[in-house]
Amino acid sequence: MIKKLSVLIGILLFGVFSAQKKEQLQKQNAELKKQIAAINANLAKTQQQSKLSLAYLNDVNKKIQLREKVYTNTQKEKRLIEDDIYLRQLEINRQNRELAVLRKNYAEVLVKAYKNKGVQNKVTFILSSKNLGEALRRVQYLKDYSDYQDKKAAEISDAAKKLLQNVALKQKSVKDKETILSNQQKDLLTIEAERKQKESLLEEFKKNEVQLTAELRQKQTESKKLEAQIRSIIAEEIRIAKAKEEENRKIEAEKIRLAKIAAEREKARIEAENKARLEALALAKKKADEEAKRLKDIADKKAAEEAERAKIAAAADAKKTEDAKRAADAEKAEARRLAAAKEAADAAANAKVAADKAAAARAAEATLAKKNDDDKKAAETKAMTNFGVTAAVGNNFAANRGRMGMPAYGTITHRFGRQPHPVFKNIVEENNGIKIAVAKGTVAKCIAPGTVSRVIASGDGLKTVIVKHGDYFTIYANLATTMVSANQQVSAGTSIGSVGEDFDGSYTLDFQIWNGSNPVDPLGWVN
């Protein structure tokens, strides 16, 4: 029983895992087929321009790789279906055995029931009971026996249904496998056809190798000239920037010097005014402290006198029964005591008022000291502003590294650095940036705020735009037309120009980023 249960649980778990895995593979294949469709659409566009372009060849290569991934995923899906068919068959065999046992047991029950099926026998069985209780038990027994028969029949029916369901699922898996095998055959034929297309393209490249190599070398020569121009322009920009920076530094230093002199004068004036105020406050505080001390001394003296008079009054009160004359003196002493007590209370109140005044004077002194510091800082800031001294604005180009958008979207055919040509292995290319093959009519966009440094026209009619971003420069080369001019302020997303046609018939943007006089890999900067 435990073995059967473990097998059943294993089959259920595999079924869940298999379904999830198949669904995942099917989603991957759907996404891959979308990418293949997009590449086919792109190839249909570029086919009208030129087949002898690296962009076209790259798209064909990429499409073959995607087809192979689809084929690999389909192979995995086929294996999952085969495993599912195998496990379904095991389950069907087990259910057949169980169904056979159920039917055999049910047949035995039916045979026994047939032998004792007469109504007379059942009536006799009940009436032959010794008493009413036994008769009732026999009626219940017959009912339970009938229910047992129905239960066994229901178990057979359920087992038969489950068996039919598993058979149907197995047949569906078999059909799925046949469909996959059919699709695989089609995929293999498609991959083979696309490989032949790639070989044909490479043959075309080989046929035109002399012409394409000559044009490529000519393009490389022009690129070297353009690079020299770019280096010269950037060097000049850096020289001008340094000279301007030095000039600005001197101007800024003179502004700071004059501003500091003015600030010191203003601070001295404020210091003098506040010093006089502080001295007046200090004098008022001293007087308040002295007055508070004087009044406290008076209050203490009055309190002592009142205490002494109270003693005398107490003594007089003790003796007033003895001496009537002293009673009158005691009455006078009590009046004097009450007057002294009032004077002591007034003196204490005056002392408190004087102490409060002294505390207020100390708080005013602290407030004035803080105001003095704040006034001096405000005077210094005002002087700096009046003399044109401003804080330096940082360059945020480097801060946005990795978050800037692409200048144009398409296929990257050449990456940064020194690398062999994808087709002509005897040619080594040195790229200061990346080359992006795009559709005809694509407009290159500026990737960050900056100032257009220069617009360069090449001998072949194509143009290059250099944009300055503080210490960094972005280069947009191989443009058919430009939409900006020198010294123009641009922002991220500003249209720079439409991408021009390359020598191989494709439309390619040459995009570069320079950190000062050094080119860097754009793919480390754009997202």
Side-chain angles (χ1 to χ4, degrees):
M1 182 65 187
I2 294 173
K3 186 177 178 182
K4 288 179 181 178
L5 187 60
S6 62
V7 170
L8 182 60
I9 291 170
I11 291 170
L12 289 172
L13 288 175
F14 177 80
V16 172
F17 169 76
S18 176
Q20 290 175 347
K21 190 70 176 174
K22 278 198 293 185
E23 186 179 354
Q24 185 182 355
L25 290 170
Q26 286 167 357
K27 283 182 180 178
Q28 286 179 4
N29 277 355
E31 184 58 34
L32 290 170
K33 285 173 181 176
K34 281 182 184 177
Q35 293 178 33
I36 291 169
I39 290 172
N40 280 333
N42 193 42
L43 285 171
K45 290 178 185 176
T46 55
Q47 189 174 14
Q48 297 170 0
Q49 297 165 14
S50 173
K51 282 189 177 180
L52 291 182
S53 70
L54 289 177
Y56 193 90
L57 183 60
N58 282 344
D59 280 343
V60 171
N61 273 330
K62 189 175 179 182
K63 186 167 68 166
I64 292 171
Q65 290 169 2
L66 293 174
R67 292 271 190 213
E68 287 171 347
K69 283 183 184 178
V70 170
Y71 183 80
T72 303
N73 284 347
T74 309
Q75 282 285 85
K76 291 177 183 176
E77 189 180 351
K78 181 171 75 73
R79 284 196 292 272
L80 288 172
I81 289 173
E82 287 171 347
D83 292 343
D84 182 62
I85 290 171
Y86 174 72
L87 289 173
R88 290 283 176 200
Q89 187 57 55
L90 289 180
E91 180 65 9
I92 288 167
N93 293 342
R94 185 189 66 77
Q95 287 177 333
N96 272 324
R97 289 194 297 272
E98 286 187 357
L99 189 57
V101 171
L102 287 172
R103 283 174 174 164
K104 181 183 176 184
N105 292 340
Y106 187 61
E108 291 174 357
V109 169
L110 289 177
V111 168
K112 289 178 181 178
Y114 180 77
K115 289 178 179 178
N116 302 289
K117 69 179 179 178
V119 175
Q120 184 68 31
N121 289 342
K122 291 181 181 178
V123 172
T124 304
F125 178 66
I126 294 168
L127 293 176
S128 62
S129 302
K130 294 179 181 179
N131 52 48
L132 181 60
E134 186 177 344
L136 290 172
R137 285 194 296 274
R138 289 186 178 188
V139 169
Q140 185 62 40
Y141 167 76
L142 291 173
K143 182 178 180 301
D144 291 343
Y145 187 71
S146 176
D147 290 343
Y148 175 75
Q149 286 180 317
D150 293 341
K151 180 183 173 185
K152 287 298 177 184
E155 283 180 1
I156 292 171
S157 178
D158 289 343
K161 283 180 183 176
K162 288 178 182 177
L163 180 61
L164 289 173
Q165 287 173 357
N166 265 322
V167 170
L169 288 171
K170 179 189 170 186
Q171 289 172 348
K172 183 180 179 300
S173 294
V174 170
K175 286 181 181 177
D176 289 344
K177 181 181 175 182
E178 289 171 356
T179 304
I180 282 176
L181 289 172
S182 174
N183 290 336
Q184 276 188 328
Q185 191 61 33
K186 291 176 184 175
D187 287 342
L188 285 172
L189 292 172
T190 305
I191 291 170
E192 187 61 30
E194 287 171 352
R195 282 178 179 159
K196 286 179 180 178
Q197 182 189 8
K198 177 185 172 182
E199 289 170 5
S200 174
L201 278 173
L202 290 172
E203 284 298 322
E204 285 294 322
F205 270 100
K206 293 296 181 185
K207 284 179 187 176
N208 295 273
E209 183 171 3
V210 175
Q211 178 191 347
L212 290 172
T213 302
E215 290 176 349
L216 181 58
R217 292 192 187 282
Q218 177 63 28
K219 186 71 175 178
Q220 286 179 328
T221 303
E222 291 171 2
S223 295
K224 287 292 180 185
K225 289 180 183 177
L226 179 60
E227 181 187 342
Q229 280 184 283
I230 290 170
R231 286 188 181 278
S232 175
I233 290 167
I234 290 176
E236 180 63 14
E237 285 279 1
I238 292 171
R239 186 193 67 75
I240 292 170
K242 283 183 177 177
K244 192 173 181 181
E245 185 181 350
E246 181 63 22
E247 183 183 352
N248 288 340
R249 190 188 64 75
K250 289 178 180 178
I251 293 170
E252 193 76 3
E254 180 62 17
K255 287 179 181 178
I256 291 170
R257 187 184 71 79
L258 294 173
K260 282 185 176 178
I261 291 171
E264 289 301 324
R265 286 175 184 167
E266 183 66 13
K267 284 196 282 186
R269 184 187 64 76
I270 292 169
E271 185 73 28
E273 289 179 358
N274 288 334
K275 185 177 179 183
R277 289 174 189 162
L278 284 170
E279 286 174 355
L281 279 172
L283 183 60
K285 176 176 170 291
K286 184 179 178 182
K287 287 181 179 179
D289 288 341
E290 288 173 354
E291 180 68 11
K293 185 176 182 304
R294 186 182 70 79
L295 292 171
K296 186 175 183 302
D297 291 343
I298 291 171
D300 291 343
K301 185 178 178 181
K302 294 289 182 183
E305 288 175 357
E306 193 275 335
E308 183 64 27
R309 286 190 180 98
K311 286 181 183 178
I312 293 169
D317 186 57
K319 293 179 180 181
K320 66 182 176 180
T321 54
E322 298 175 1
D323 195 349
K325 186 178 178 180
R326 288 185 178 181
D329 293 339
E331 186 176 349
K332 290 179 183 178
E334 177 65 16
R336 286 195 298 271
R337 186 189 70 77
L338 291 173
K342 184 177 181 303
E343 288 177 359
D346 291 342
N350 291 333
K352 184 176 182 304
V353 170
D356 290 343
K357 285 182 180 178
R362 284 193 294 273
E365 187 179 8
T367 302
L368 186 58
K370 183 178 182 303
K371 184 176 181 301
N372 184 32
D373 291 339
D374 293 343
D375 287 347
K376 287 194 285 185
K377 287 178 183 177
E380 186 172 6
T381 302
K382 184 179 178 182
M384 291 290 180
T385 304
N386 289 341
F387 280 84
V389 179
T390 56
V393 179
N395 182 3
N396 63 354
F397 187 88
N400 287 320
R401 179 172 182 167
R403 296 197 295 270
M404 293 177 281
M406 291 284 284
Y409 289 93
T411 303
I412 297 175
T413 57
H414 298 74
R415 291 182 177 269
F416 178 82
R418 185 179 174 84
Q419 50 196 270
H421 190 273
V423 179
F424 308 125
K425 302 301 181 185
N426 59 326
I427 296 178
V428 176
E429 294 183 304
E430 184 73 38
N431 298 314
N432 288 328
I434 58 173
K435 292 182 180 178
I436 310 166
V438 297
K440 183 179 180 181
T442 298
V443 174
K445 308 281 187 179
C446 188
I447 67 166
T451 306
V452 177
S453 172
R454 205 74 58 89
V455 178
I456 306 169
S458 304
D460 55 3
L462 296 172
K463 297 176 179 65
T464 300
V465 174
I466 303 175
V467 180
K468 189 175 188 299
H469 314 272
D471 297 330
Y472 291 84
F473 298 85
T474 52
I475 317 293
Y476 309 82
N478 209 54
L479 300 174
T481 60
T482 56
M483 302 173 184
V484 292
S485 55
N487 300 319
Q488 180 180 334
Q489 297 292 319
V490 292
S491 58
T494 298
S495 296
I496 296 292
S498 60
V499 179
E501 187 176 3
D502 214 342
F503 74 93
D504 60 1
S506 62
Y507 288 80
T508 306
L509 173 67
D510 185 357
F511 175 65
Q512 303 173 25
I513 297 177
W514 291 57
N515 180 3
S517 56
N518 299 311
V520 296
D521 187 357
L523 292 182
W525 291 79
V526 293
N527 183 3

